[in-house]
């Protein structure tokens, strides 16, 4: 992991603080993520079932690894209230090596 390519930044949006707490708790307790940042509420506009929707959402930035991603996705889907939650993983192409090593050390995929 010399360049961080094993580390992922996963983005999701939830509708409220209770959902943010639930998703955060589950992904951290399951060790599917090393860290979750909850950002301030934002306005989202999107198409859903042919209707232009507007909502207030809370963005979550989740740090994990490629190996732990399947477990993370399953945990987010379990705790998320949306039928089709936004779950987008972006590869980290560079970063402070000590931080990237910490992310890798704090996450672990579920036992097979």
């Amino acid at each position: 992991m010399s360049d961080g390519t094993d580390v992922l930044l996963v983005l999701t949006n939830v509708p409220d603080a209770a959902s943010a707490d639930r998703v955060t708790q589950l992904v951290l307790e399951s060790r599917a993520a090393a860290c979750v940042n909850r950002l301030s509420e934002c306005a989202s506009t999107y198409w859903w079932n042919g209707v232009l929707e507007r909502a207030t959402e809370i963005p979550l930035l989740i740090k994990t690894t490629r190996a732990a991603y399947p477990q993370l996705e399953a945990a987010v889907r379990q705790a998320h209230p949306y039928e089709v939650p936004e779950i987008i993983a972006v590869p980290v192409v560079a970063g402070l090596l000590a931080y990237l090593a910490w992310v890798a050390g704090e996450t672990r995929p579920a036992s097979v």
Side-chain angles (χ1 to χ4, degrees):
M1 183 180 54
S2 63
D3 61 359
T5 56
D6 290 339
V7 175
L8 300 174
L9 174 63
V10 179
L11 304 109
T12 191
N13 285 303
V14 294
D16 52 45
S19 298
D21 289 341
R22 191 169 49 254
V23 169
T24 297
Q25 181 113 8
L26 187 57
V27 301
L28 290 174
E29 285 183 351
S30 68
R31 304 295 280 207
C35 176
V36 178
N37 299 114
R38 180 192 306 197
L39 304 182
S40 298
E41 289 183 348
C42 67
S44 295
T45 306
Y46 53 91
W47 287 102
W48 183 249
N49 292 326
V51 177
L52 191 59
E53 299 281 349
R54 297 180 195 283
T56 299
E57 295 182 301
I58 299 172
L60 299 178
L61 306 179
I62 306 168
K63 276 67 84 178
T64 192
T65 61
R66 287 184 190 275
Y69 177 81
Q71 181 183 356
L72 175 87
E73 182 181 294
V76 171
R77 291 182 69 194
Q78 176 185 339
H80 207 293
Y82 291 168
E83 180 182 343
V84 180
E86 172 187 15
I87 305 172
I88 299 172
V90 179
V92 173
V93 296
L96 179 67
L97 292 181
Y99 180 80
L100 301 176
W102 172 79
V103 170
E106 293 299 325
T107 57
R108 60 178 179 261
S111 303
V112 180

